[in-house]
Amino acid sequence: MRQHHTYTPAVKDLAYTFGGVAPVASLHSGDVLTVFTEDCFGGAVTTIDDLPSRVCTFPYLNPLTGPFLVEGAEPGDTLAIHFRSIVPARAIGVSSTFPHAGALTSTTHTATLQPPLQERVWLYEIDTDAAVVRYRARNSDFVADLPLDAMHGTVGVAPPAFQARSSLTSDTHGGNMDTPELRAGTTVYLGVNVHGAMLSLGDGHARQGPGEVSGVAVEVAMTTTIALEVIKNVPTRWPRIESDDAVMSVGCARPLEDAFRISQHDLVTWTADLTGLDTLDAYQLVAQAGTALVGNVCDPNYTMLAALPKHLLPDPTTVYGGVHQRLRHVPVPAPVVG
Amino acid sequence: MRQHHTYTPAVKDLAYTFGGVAPVASLHSGDVLTVFTEDCFGGAVTTIDDLPSRVCTFPYLNPLTGPFLVEGAEPGDTLAIHFRSIVPARAIGVSSTFPHAGALTSTTHTATLQPPLQERVWLYEIDTDAAVVRYRARNSDFVADLPLDAMHGTVGVAPPAFQARSSLTSDTHGGNMDTPELRAGTTVYLGVNVHGAMLSLGDGHARQGPGEVSGVAVEVAMTTTIALEVIKNVPTRWPRIESDDAVMSVGCARPLEDAFRISQHDLVTWTADLTGLDTLDAYQLVAQAGTALVGNVCDPNYTMLAALPKHLLPDPTTVYGGVHQRLRHVPVPAPVVG
Amino acid sequence: MRQHHTYTPAVKDLAYTFGGVAPVASLHSGDVLTVFTEDCFGGAVTTIDDLPSRVCTFPYLNPLTGPFLVEGAEPGDTLAIHFRSIVPARAIGVSSTFPHAGALTSTTHTATLQPPLQERVWLYEIDTDAAVVRYRARNSDFVADLPLDAMHGTVGVAPPAFQARSSLTSDTHGGNMDTPELRAGTTVYLGVNVHGAMLSLGDGHARQGPGEVSGVAVEVAMTTTIALEVIKNVPTRWPRIESDDAVMSVGCARPLEDAFRISQHDLVTWTADLTGLDTLDAYQLVAQAGTALVGNVCDPNYTMLAALPKHLLPDPTTVYGGVHQRLRHVPVPAPVVG
Amino acid sequence: MRQHHTYTPAVKDLAYTFGGVAPVASLHSGDVLTVFTEDCFGGAVTTIDDLPSRVCTFPYLNPLTGPFLVEGAEPGDTLAIHFRSIVPARAIGVSSTFPHAGALTSTTHTATLQPPLQERVWLYEIDTDAAVVRYRARNSDFVADLPLDAMHGTVGVAPPAFQARSSLTSDTHGGNMDTPELRAGTTVYLGVNVHGAMLSLGDGHARQGPGEVSGVAVEVAMTTTIALEVIKNVPTRWPRIESDDAVMSVGCARPLEDAFRISQHDLVTWTADLTGLDTLDAYQLVAQAGTALVGNVCDPNYTMLAALPKHLLPDPTTVYGGVHQRLRHVPVPAPVVG
């Protein structure tokens, strides 16, 4: 029977890697889970004077809630995670520049001899009723209301090959993909690498521009409800996302063209599977009918997405056995104690 | 007085570079121009048996109509080109794979020891009334109608520094940007590098997926009407595009992250100009409210676009002095002999 | 008192990550260690019919000997590892192509739709007395003797931030750097991230071309003797190497220009420290007097090295307190049972 | 009969592109040519106060001597250019930082919001007798004598496809390759794209570190003698270099891994031609016996070289018909008036 678990981590229970961490709870395929996730700064930035490089301590960045052991998930399976709701848990979102982070600055890897950009914090009022977040310039009275578009930057499972990967990066196991597509109403598919999958998530964004060019979105703690299902004996190589309208493949890599190649390659082979087209015909269809979306161009691995409208598929309900529709609409039982 | 010129090139008048070519006609700021542009294969691919590598001869690829000398355009000015209409001039669009071209193959530059992908041609029926192009699989009976979204892959002026650049590449002078944003209703801004600017265009696409992942869009000859204006003493460093809804900066480079950086950097500084925000405040606004769009990831220079919604600007009519609205709505006089 | 430990791992004791593995033994600063390291294929390739993709099983690739806990090594310190000798432990070295591995093929990340290159194995006779390895073509009678230049592709410590990283990649913790500079007579400096440093090594190469372009060197098990010293309270950000003639900084990243930037940036700041030059003067000296060396262009992170001749330094004995000379020449005591 | 031409350009005769320029003189296959080449700053930097961004004017950078029309050179042929001698024409070489140029700074393409590095000039005394250039720090009394190793950063022919390319970049036509391998005693092979080849050269360096990390070498005007030969009906795709010891392929591209791939791919196929090995056997030989060299990581196209020792070739005299040995040793006749 489908159960609804709830879980709020204590600070000491936050995790900073995918893999290498003991589970905080066990779930079953079909369960629903409501969790609290801290923001990427561990909640330490609350005023414009809280410069992240001062109030945060490496490696205590981008804390994760989890991992959750999913009973029955084994290597070679796929874990489907459907986001039922993602709701800001605070009224203020925070953003900032951060020394040597972001795309329009030199970094530890794109290393230059220039000093870093000034570190500056912005606070965004979040009005969930009006569904807006309010940008306020720091050095003028410019104000702009932007659409609230809550999402998770980070969701993933334990990686393969005995690894434990920082919550700051992404790869085949998911992780810090930082794409605005990870909003409520979508389903993420992740290949299972270890017994129990070991699902973790965090890094809520009230909104994020594609590319996350400054390195930091509108960061906020979230109360998030997900529904899970294990798809047995169906492997998934790279993260995939399904919305009501599109199927999407995620590539995580540097340079950015490899993130593009991975995502498009995965979408071409997936499209061939879903349509019966041969590889070149699928390539052609994706080339003309597909879309390329930018996730982030600031994290250790960049992300890009390749998307195809589902109305082009002969039968969209065959995507991973129709799990997206199922999880999107199943009744959510009342929560029990996590 | 605003004049409406028309021009249809003979085959011998097609150009294959930006720069290094004598003008085919002279125009004045404010004029309207209707031209015929050949497709990227020079019209040589008309059946599925016309493999491009056999029927086309390097360097006679991606022919340009032009250049047009614009009187009064001088280095340091900006040329605004507004696309009034872009209409397929043939009922069939063509696409193909091409040996070692595209993103999901090794190329001359991403050189591997693998043999090329099979070369294959697809023909698309174009129904301008229904505004669709019809994809037909080659190896099955799969058919899909895709929206007609006519655009020009290539538009540019003569480059700086005495150069003549292949019509296959893009750079600060525009060129083969291959972005779906270059559709009717948008205005392109290009910095003028030489006396008369020397405008050329070509490479019509009935539609193109962002990224142009297979290396070839739905290629078709076009009948296109543009309206021009010279903006004196306003330099433009990288190509910019304005639609009714957004301002966009185009970056042309490899690797892809540099195309991203260029476009976002230009949009940040442009946004600072248009809003009075300081640089970091503009960076933050673009990061959360802006969009990153993919042009092509297959040409010698990749392209990415950074876009900001115009409703965020205090006064969108100040963008390049409001030329977009002006050229979008001015009456088009009856054509005269070009 | 300096001790000489010896250690030969059983198959079950081989490790496949840096970090996340319990130590096999403890050492003290100043100790000498002689170990056996398996080759990257786990010794499974012994004939030309042993195709690696068939005889090896992911993730059991590139096994490590270790980790060794170094008493007294704490985060913020540097571990100096001097290679006293690296001697092939077998008479035959093996190389191969491997599906979708290497620089002249598409890969999982530079993903294309092309089939992989043919998988082929080459065996090299190793003549340690003559100091040559013999290349034999597979499809002709071409034979060439190449210099034996034994080295370790992989040496590293546990990474920071609670991570466990695959032995196939490199980063600030060292790892699979795959540079021919890691030969006997050199000292590697690695920043310590965890209590005891947790040193591991493996991936012996009888020789390797810079770039490791085919993805596989002349792989062979090794008997290797290292001398260790902990340098207290001296942090090291990226791996560094010292030979009798040069100081070298290692950058590990994609794209390759970032590996270049990291290595050159580190060498510039290191040179400033060692010479008293200001940053720009050090930049200029490195630019004209330094060298850029290629490590690998095939692993998950590429590596490049920046090197400066030591004769340009005012006092080369000040490099990490002169530990290189010390470890290069200390008497090696007779081994005890590890 | 072999003729020895001499040519010293007036300032008005300097060229700034490959292609698009009328020839300054005609030569024949077999001729010898002695030219003066200006430095990359046009000789405008003579004191430490001559900041290049002030005393130089875009696009009058990196001036070329030429082009020379080589009679009988036609598309499909190869032009062999042997450097007999390269001698500094001034006693002072100059180097500098330059705003947003070099590898350890943001640039116009790796665009960041950081201010540029300080612009600073260094002067190097050149002692041709002692064969040293003297580095002097600007902000301390540190002095170091570095080996004089005179070379040309830039040598090329007119590019294909009706193009004219800036002297600042490199591509299949050669151009600003900026590799220290272009020293006296080597032969460069360039594919001919237009009637007469149109050879130009410039950008002398008293020495240059591989990578040219600061963006500027030790720049100096040169008096250079070359010997030419046209190799009929032998095409050359990418620039190649032959020294007494090695054959080398040059790749020009971004990102840097593509420059690596191009160079290694070309060397593998060339090695297969020269040895009779099949492609995979040649790949394996190059992987273990070859070398990867860094040219520049600062110009519009980066360059890398792949090199193979000639002693591994069955018959090194067959390389381009033995032209290297021929041009290296032919008597140079007394010069005639160019």
Side-chain angles (χ1 to χ4, degrees):
Chain A
M1 206 195 78
R2 200 177 290 273
Q3 278 201 311
H4 185 171
H5 308 260
T6 61
Y7 176 74
T8 297
V11 169
K12 68 172 180 50
D13 294 325
L14 295 170
Y16 297 90
T17 56
F18 290 94
V21 184
V24 297
S26 289
L27 310 174
H28 287 84
S29 182
D31 283 355
V32 174
L33 173 68
T34 296
V35 292
F36 172 86
T37 64
E38 213 6 302
D39 71 30
C40 73
F41 297 125
V45 178
T46 61
T47 77
I48 57 171
D49 296 323
D50 294 328
L51 298 187
S53 71
R54 287 196 213 144
V55 299
C56 298
T57 306
F58 178 82
Y60 300 97
L61 290 169
N62 206 27
L64 300 175
T65 296
F68 298 92
L69 187 153
V70 184
E71 300 283 359
E74 299 294 341
D77 299 338
T78 290
L79 182 63
I81 306 120
H82 179 75
F83 287 98
R84 289 292 292 242
S85 64
I86 305 174
V87 180
R90 296 190 183 117
I92 300 290
V94 297
S95 192
S96 77
T97 47
F98 191 88
H100 292 131
L104 297 188
T105 172
S106 54
T107 67
T108 52
H109 285 64
T110 305
T112 82
L113 297 169
Q114 294 158 301
L117 294 176
Q118 184 200 346
E119 193 171 359
R120 190 185 287 182
V121 170
W122 290 262
L123 302 183
Y124 287 77
E125 300 142 56
I126 300 174
D127 184 336
T128 49
D129 292 335
V132 297
V133 298
R134 178 159 294 175
Y135 165 89
R136 287 181 188 279
R138 284 289 309 276
N139 280 347
S140 71
D141 56 5
F142 186 101
V143 171
D145 281 354
L146 310 178
L148 174 65
D149 187 14
M151 47 155 283
H152 277 280
T154 311
V155 57
V157 293
F162 320 115
Q163 295 186 95
R165 302 292 302 277
S166 163
S167 60
L168 295 169
T169 196
S170 66
D171 210 321
T172 54
H173 67 284
N176 196 22
M177 294 180 279
D178 275 335
T179 162
E181 301 306 316
L182 285 173
R183 59 174 66 89
T186 62
T187 304
V188 186
Y189 302 102
L190 297 170
V192 176
N193 301 298
V194 303
H195 169 70
M198 298 296 179
L199 171 71
S200 306
L201 73 165
D203 195 23
H205 298 164
R207 70 173 284 113
Q208 178 206 313
E212 205 181 4
V213 62
S214 69
V216 182
V218 182
E219 310 287 339
V220 69
M222 292 287 180
T223 301
T224 292
T225 299
I226 58 177
L228 300 172
E229 206 163 298
V230 176
I231 304 166
K232 292 300 295 180
N233 303 313
V234 176
T236 295
R237 168 76 183 150
W238 287 96
R240 290 172 171 177
I241 300 174
E242 184 177 356
S243 68
D244 289 351
D245 300 324
V247 290
M248 298 175 246
S249 295
V250 185
C252 312
R254 290 194 179 197
L256 190 57
E257 44 264 60
D258 274 1
F260 175 81
R261 287 178 181 120
I262 291 167
S263 63
Q264 297 282 333
H265 184 278
D266 188 72
L267 184 63
V268 167
T269 53
W270 194 11
T271 296
D273 287 346
L274 294 170
T275 59
L277 292 171
D278 79 0
T279 303
L280 284 190
D281 277 347
Y283 188 24
Q284 177 63 208
L285 181 64
V286 166
Q288 312 308 346
T291 302
L293 300 166
V294 180
N296 86 78
V297 193
C298 63
D299 294 325
N301 274 338
Y302 302 144
T303 54
M304 289 194 78
L305 288 76
L308 193 75
K310 282 162 72 173
H311 68 76
L312 293 174
L313 301 178
D315 182 1
T317 66
T318 62
V319 176
Y320 282 100
V323 66
H324 172 73
Q325 284 305 314
R326 200 155 56 236
L327 294 179
R328 182 140 178 61
H329 297 296
V330 287
V332 172
V336 296
V337 175
Chain B
M1 208 194 77
R2 200 177 291 273
Q3 279 203 310
H4 185 171
H5 307 261
T6 61
Y7 176 75
T8 298
V11 169
K12 68 172 180 50
D13 295 324
L14 295 170
Y16 297 90
T17 56
F18 290 93
V21 185
V24 297
S26 289
L27 309 174
H28 288 83
S29 183
D31 283 356
V32 173
L33 174 68
T34 296
V35 293
F36 172 87
T37 64
E38 211 9 300
D39 71 30
C40 73
F41 297 125
V45 179
T46 61
T47 76
I48 58 171
D49 296 323
D50 294 328
L51 298 187
S53 71
R54 287 196 212 144
V55 299
C56 298
T57 307
F58 178 82
Y60 299 97
L61 290 169
N62 206 25
L64 300 175
T65 296
F68 299 93
L69 186 154
V70 184
E71 300 282 0
E74 299 294 340
D77 300 339
T78 290
L79 183 64
I81 306 119
H82 180 75
F83 286 97
R84 289 294 292 245
S85 64
I86 305 174
V87 180
R90 295 189 183 118
I92 301 289
V94 296
S95 192
S96 76
T97 46
F98 191 88
H100 291 132
L104 297 189
T105 171
S106 54
T107 67
T108 52
H109 285 65
T110 305
T112 81
L113 297 169
Q114 293 157 302
L117 294 176
Q118 183 200 347
E119 194 171 0
R120 189 186 290 183
V121 169
W122 291 262
L123 301 182
Y124 287 77
E125 299 140 59
I126 300 173
D127 184 334
T128 50
D129 293 334
V132 297
V133 298
R134 179 159 297 176
Y135 165 88
R136 287 182 188 279
R138 284 289 308 277
N139 279 349
S140 71
D141 55 5
F142 186 101
V143 172
D145 280 355
L146 310 177
L148 174 65
D149 187 14
M151 48 154 283
H152 277 281
T154 311
V155 56
V157 294
F162 320 117
Q163 294 185 96
R165 302 294 300 277
S166 162
S167 61
L168 295 170
T169 196
S170 66
D171 210 321
T172 55
H173 67 284
N176 196 22
M177 294 181 278
D178 275 333
T179 163
E181 302 306 316
L182 285 173
R183 58 174 66 90
T186 63
T187 304
V188 186
Y189 301 102
L190 297 170
V192 176
N193 300 298
V194 303
H195 169 71
M198 297 297 179
L199 172 71
S200 307
L201 73 166
D203 194 23
H205 297 165
R207 70 172 283 112
Q208 178 208 312
E212 204 180 5
V213 62
S214 68
V216 182
V218 182
E219 312 287 338
V220 68
M222 293 286 180
T223 301
T224 293
T225 298
I226 58 176
L228 299 172
E229 206 163 299
V230 177
I231 303 167
K232 292 299 295 180
N233 302 314
V234 176
T236 295
R237 169 77 183 149
W238 288 95
R240 290 172 171 176
I241 300 174
E242 184 177 356
S243 68
D244 290 352
D245 300 324
V247 289
M248 298 175 245
S249 295
V250 184
C252 312
R254 288 193 181 198
L256 190 57
E257 43 263 61
D258 274 1
F260 175 81
R261 287 179 180 120
I262 291 167
S263 64
Q264 297 282 335
H265 184 279
D266 188 72
L267 184 64
V268 167
T269 54
W270 194 11
T271 297
D273 286 347
L274 293 170
T275 58
L277 292 171
D278 79 0
T279 302
L280 284 190
D281 277 347
Y283 187 23
Q284 176 65 208
L285 181 64
V286 166
Q288 311 308 345
T291 302
L293 300 167
V294 180
N296 85 76
V297 193
C298 63
D299 295 324
N301 274 338
Y302 302 144
T303 53
M304 289 194 77
L305 288 77
L308 193 75
K310 283 163 71 174
H311 68 75
L312 293 175
L313 301 178
D315 183 1
T317 67
T318 62
V319 176
Y320 283 100
V323 67
H324 173 73
Q325 284 304 314
R326 201 155 55 239
L327 294 179
R328 182 138 178 62
H329 296 296
V330 288
V332 172
V336 298
V337 175
Chain C
M1 205 194 78
R2 199 177 291 273
Q3 278 202 311
H4 185 171
H5 308 259
T6 62
Y7 176 75
T8 297
V11 169
K12 70 172 177 52
D13 295 325
L14 294 169
Y16 297 89
T17 56
F18 290 94
V21 185
V24 297
S26 290
L27 309 174
H28 288 81
S29 182
D31 283 355
V32 174
L33 173 67
T34 297
V35 293
F36 172 86
T37 64
E38 210 10 298
D39 70 31
C40 72
F41 298 124
V45 179
T46 60
T47 77
I48 57 171
D49 297 322
D50 294 328
L51 298 187
S53 71
R54 287 196 214 146
V55 298
C56 299
T57 306
F58 178 81
Y60 300 96
L61 290 169
N62 206 26
L64 300 175
T65 296
F68 299 92
L69 186 154
V70 183
E71 300 282 359
E74 298 295 341
D77 299 339
T78 290
L79 182 64
I81 306 119
H82 180 75
F83 287 97
R84 289 293 292 244
S85 64
I86 304 174
V87 180
R90 295 190 183 116
I92 300 289
V94 297
S95 192
S96 77
T97 46
F98 192 88
H100 292 131
L104 298 188
T105 173
S106 54
T107 67
T108 53
H109 285 62
T110 305
T112 82
L113 297 169
Q114 296 158 299
L117 295 176
Q118 183 200 348
E119 193 171 0
R120 189 185 289 182
V121 169
W122 290 262
L123 302 181
Y124 287 76
E125 300 142 55
I126 300 174
D127 184 334
T128 50
D129 292 335
V132 296
V133 298
R134 178 158 296 176
Y135 165 89
R136 287 182 188 279
R138 284 289 307 277
N139 280 348
S140 71
D141 56 3
F142 186 102
V143 172
D145 282 355
L146 309 177
L148 173 65
D149 187 14
M151 48 156 281
H152 277 281
T154 310
V155 56
V157 293
F162 320 116
Q163 294 185 95
R165 302 293 301 277
S166 162
S167 61
L168 294 170
T169 195
S170 66
D171 209 320
T172 54
H173 67 285
N176 196 22
M177 295 180 279
D178 274 335
T179 162
E181 300 307 314
L182 285 173
R183 58 174 66 89
T186 63
T187 304
V188 186
Y189 301 103
L190 297 171
V192 176
N193 300 300
V194 303
H195 169 71
M198 298 294 178
L199 172 71
S200 306
L201 73 166
D203 194 25
H205 298 165
R207 69 172 287 113
Q208 178 207 313
E212 205 180 3
V213 63
S214 68
V216 183
V218 182
E219 311 287 338
V220 69
M222 292 286 180
T223 301
T224 292
T225 299
I226 58 176
L228 300 172
E229 205 164 298
V230 177
I231 304 167
K232 292 300 295 179
N233 303 314
V234 176
T236 295
R237 169 78 184 149
W238 287 95
R240 291 171 169 176
I241 300 174
E242 184 176 357
S243 69
D244 289 352
D245 300 325
V247 289
M248 298 174 247
S249 294
V250 184
C252 312
R254 289 193 180 198
L256 191 57
E257 43 264 60
D258 273 2
F260 176 80
R261 287 179 180 121
I262 291 167
S263 64
Q264 297 282 333
H265 184 278
D266 188 72
L267 185 64
V268 167
T269 53
W270 193 12
T271 297
D273 286 347
L274 294 170
T275 58
L277 292 171
D278 78 359
T279 302
L280 285 190
D281 277 349
Y283 188 23
Q284 176 64 205
L285 181 65
V286 166
Q288 311 308 345
T291 301
L293 299 167
V294 181
N296 85 78
V297 193
C298 64
D299 295 324
N301 275 338
Y302 302 144
T303 54
M304 290 194 75
L305 288 76
L308 192 76
K310 282 163 72 174
H311 68 76
L312 293 174
L313 301 178
D315 183 0
T317 67
T318 63
V319 177
Y320 283 100
V323 66
H324 172 74
Q325 284 305 313
R326 202 155 55 238
L327 294 179
R328 183 138 179 64
H329 296 297
V330 288
V332 172
V336 296
V337 175
Chain D
M1 206 194 79
R2 198 177 291 273
Q3 278 203 310
H4 186 171
H5 308 260
T6 62
Y7 176 75
T8 298
V11 169
K12 69 170 178 53
D13 295 325
L14 294 170
Y16 297 89
T17 56
F18 290 94
V21 185
V24 297
S26 289
L27 309 174
H28 288 83
S29 182
D31 283 355
V32 174
L33 173 68
T34 297
V35 294
F36 172 88
T37 63
E38 215 3 305
D39 71 31
C40 72
F41 297 125
V45 179
T46 61
T47 76
I48 58 171
D49 297 323
D50 295 328
L51 298 187
S53 70
R54 287 196 212 145
V55 300
C56 298
T57 306
F58 178 83
Y60 299 97
L61 290 170
N62 206 25
L64 301 174
T65 296
F68 299 92
L69 186 154
V70 184
E71 300 283 0
E74 299 295 343
D77 298 340
T78 290
L79 183 64
I81 306 120
H82 180 75
F83 287 97
R84 290 293 291 244
S85 65
I86 304 174
V87 180
R90 295 189 184 118
I92 301 287
V94 297
S95 192
S96 77
T97 47
F98 192 88
H100 291 131
L104 297 188
T105 172
S106 54
T107 67
T108 53
H109 286 62
T110 305
T112 83
L113 297 169
Q114 295 158 299
L117 294 177
Q118 182 200 351
E119 194 171 359
R120 190 187 287 183
V121 169
W122 291 262
L123 301 182
Y124 288 77
E125 300 141 58
I126 300 173
D127 184 336
T128 49
D129 293 335
V132 297
V133 298
R134 178 159 296 177
Y135 165 88
R136 287 183 188 278
R138 283 290 307 278
N139 279 348
S140 71
D141 55 4
F142 186 102
V143 172
D145 281 355
L146 309 177
L148 174 65
D149 187 14
M151 49 155 284
H152 278 279
T154 311
V155 56
V157 294
F162 319 116
Q163 294 185 96
R165 301 295 301 276
S166 162
S167 60
L168 295 170
T169 196
S170 66
D171 210 321
T172 54
H173 67 285
N176 196 23
M177 293 180 279
D178 275 335
T179 162
E181 300 308 315
L182 285 174
R183 58 175 67 89
T186 64
T187 304
V188 186
Y189 302 102
L190 297 171
V192 176
N193 301 298
V194 304
H195 169 71
M198 298 295 178
L199 172 71
S200 306
L201 73 167
D203 194 25
H205 298 165
R207 71 172 284 112
Q208 178 208 312
E212 205 181 5
V213 62
S214 68
V216 182
V218 182
E219 311 287 337
V220 68
M222 293 287 180
T223 301
T224 293
T225 298
I226 58 176
L228 299 172
E229 205 164 299
V230 176
I231 303 166
K232 293 299 296 179
N233 303 314
V234 176
T236 295
R237 169 77 184 150
W238 286 96
R240 290 171 171 177
I241 300 174
E242 184 177 357
S243 69
D244 289 353
D245 300 325
V247 289
M248 297 175 247
S249 294
V250 184
C252 311
R254 289 193 180 199
L256 190 57
E257 44 263 59
D258 274 1
F260 175 82
R261 288 179 179 119
I262 291 167
S263 64
Q264 298 281 334
H265 184 279
D266 188 72
L267 184 64
V268 167
T269 53
W270 194 11
T271 297
D273 287 346
L274 293 170
T275 59
L277 292 171
D278 78 0
T279 302
L280 284 191
D281 276 348
Y283 188 23
Q284 176 65 205
L285 181 64
V286 166
Q288 311 308 344
T291 302
L293 300 166
V294 181
N296 86 76
V297 192
C298 62
D299 294 326
N301 274 339
Y302 302 144
T303 55
M304 290 194 76
L305 288 78
L308 193 76
K310 284 163 70 174
H311 68 75
L312 294 174
L313 301 177
D315 183 1
T317 67
T318 62
V319 176
Y320 283 99
V323 66
H324 172 74
Q325 284 304 313
R326 201 154 57 238
L327 294 179
R328 182 137 179 65
H329 297 296
V330 287
V332 171
V336 296
V337 175

